[in-house]
């Protein structure tokens, strides 16, 4: 039952933060990918205002069908340059920006919409070949480039840890991401850098202990996704 799962997650989030003495708050993004719009409506009814999708087309269909209180939509999956035109008007925060090419296209489309697009820079801290995200080496250059774009507002950093049998093994990855995030603050106007997005069903407690303030949780709320 979604309601029960949601409360459990919220409790586990609070416990994980308390375990390291954190008194700030962290945002739960309910990841609704591969679940129907009724799942979106149910979490919205339960007071969840942040939802995450990883595909533009799927999100678009859900946004068209959705009826309920206003939501904040997060794009968490890899974004292709040719999908930016659709994505910019749809999403409040794009977590997965990892190249100058993507930044250029977001700048262009956002300017057309007279919008300043909030984004996170996705860094592939773990150097997984299968994952998107820029390398730690490319990060400073892309970060400084993003700063020059008037219709792009960098709000922080996003990172995915590899799947480890023992989520404890993700801790060093999260720790590096946190250090990059703290370092970033000095390069942007005061207060702009405020989100460190890391942690999923399997490892969100470790991520919170290492400073995440956005966690992206799907399976633990909605159950296993069915792919067909
Ligand atoms: C699917 C996905 C999630 C949620 O994963 P769960 O294991 O179901 O919690 C989080 N972040 C990204 C980028 C995803 O693609």
């Amino acid at each position: 039952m979604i309601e029960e799962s949601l409360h459990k997650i919220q409790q586990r989030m609070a416990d994980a933060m308390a375990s390291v003495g954190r008194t700030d708050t962290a945002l739960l993004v309910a990841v609704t990918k591969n679940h129907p719009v009724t799942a979106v409506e149910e979490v919205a009814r339960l007071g969840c205002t942040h939802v995450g999708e990883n595909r533009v087309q799927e999100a678009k269909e859900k946004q068209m069908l959705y009826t309920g209180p206003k939501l904040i939509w997060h794009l968490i999956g890899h974004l292709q340059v040719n999908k930016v035109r659709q994505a910019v008007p749809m999403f409040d925060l794009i977590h997965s920006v990892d190249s100058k090419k993507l930044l250029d296209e977001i700048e262009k489309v956002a300017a057309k919409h007279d919008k300043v697009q909030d984004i996170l820079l996705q860094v592939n801290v773990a150097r997984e070949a299968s994952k998107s995200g820029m390398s730690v080496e490319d990060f400073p250059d892309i970060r400084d480039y993003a700063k020059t774009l008037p219709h792009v507002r960098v709000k922080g950093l996003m990172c995915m840890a590899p799947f480890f049998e023992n989520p404890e093994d993700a801790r060093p990855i999260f720790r590096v991401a946190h250090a990059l995030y703290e370092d970033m603050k000095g390069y942007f106007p005061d207060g702009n850098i405020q989100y460190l997005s890391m942690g999923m069903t399997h490892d969100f407690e470790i991520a919170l202990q290492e400073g995440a303030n956005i966690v992206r949780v799907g399976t633990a709320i909605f159950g296993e996704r069915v792919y067909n």
Side-chain angles (χ1 to χ4, degrees):
M1 201 188 149
I2 292 179
E3 181 165 12
E4 228 177 85
S5 311
L6 196 59
H7 289 154
K8 256 189 223 155
I9 298 292
Q10 283 159 344
Q11 188 56 53
R12 284 170 62 190
M13 286 176 67
D15 290 347
M17 290 177 77
S19 75
V20 290
R22 282 181 64 177
T23 54
D24 59 329
T25 52
L27 213 71
L28 172 63
V29 172
V31 177
T32 48
K33 68 183 188 200
N34 280 80
H35 292 288
V37 68
T38 49
V40 181
E41 288 163 351
E42 179 153 15
V43 281
R45 191 176 55 75
L46 295 167
C48 230
T49 47
H50 294 264
V51 295
E53 286 282 333
N54 72 333
R55 287 177 48 237
V56 175
Q57 189 54 40
E58 183 182 335
K60 189 174 201 170
E61 285 160 22
K62 273 177 229 180
Q63 286 189 357
M64 272 176 345
L65 294 170
Y66 174 77
T67 56
K70 189 176 159 16
L71 292 173
I72 296 165
W73 293 82
H74 297 249
L75 180 62
I76 61 173
H78 178 65
L79 175 60
Q80 289 171 311
V81 172
N82 66 4
K83 292 281 163 62
V84 169
R85 200 168 47 81
Q86 291 183 73
V88 163
M90 288 172 57
F91 290 99
D92 298 290
L93 183 64
I94 301 176
H95 291 225
S96 47
V97 179
D98 62 358
S99 72
K100 288 187 186 175
K101 234 170 76 181
L102 205 45
L103 281 166
D104 282 338
E105 186 66 12
I106 293 170
E107 169 62 29
K108 200 175 85 190
V109 176
K112 237 178 245 163
H113 285 269
D114 215 2
K115 175 183 187 183
V116 177
Q117 178 67 55
D118 286 341
I119 66 149
L120 303 179
L121 295 175
Q122 184 180 354
V123 183
N124 187 355
V125 174
R127 302 173 188 284
E128 281 185 288
S130 61
K131 294 265 170 71
S132 42
M134 66 191 81
S135 69
V136 173
E137 288 73 26
D138 289 343
F139 172 69
D141 189 37
I142 297 176
R143 173 199 65 202
D144 293 345
Y145 184 68
K147 217 173 96 173
T148 67
L149 305 174
H151 299 90
V152 171
R153 184 165 43 219
V154 181
K155 304 285 284 182
L157 189 143
M158 187 271 229
C159 153
M160 277 177 95
F163 181 87
F164 292 111
E165 208 52 60
N166 179 359
E168 194 57 49
D169 294 342
R171 192 181 293 280
I173 310 268
F174 291 147
R175 205 164 274 178
V176 172
H178 186 216
L180 286 174
Y181 165 73
E182 287 299 333
D183 181 66
M184 240 175 133
K185 291 180 178 170
Y187 292 87
F188 289 89
D190 263 359
N192 271 29
I193 302 301
Q194 44 175 294
Y195 295 131
L196 177 57
S197 167
M198 57 186 193
M200 307 166 44
T201 290
H202 186 63
D203 56 16
F204 72 88
E205 282 148 314
I206 309 289
L208 286 169
Q209 288 175 340
E210 295 301 329
N213 56 20
I214 297 183
V215 293
R216 311 174 308 266
V217 179
T219 308
I221 300 173
F222 302 105
E224 292 294 332
R225 287 178 287 274
V226 181
Y227 294 94
N228 43 28

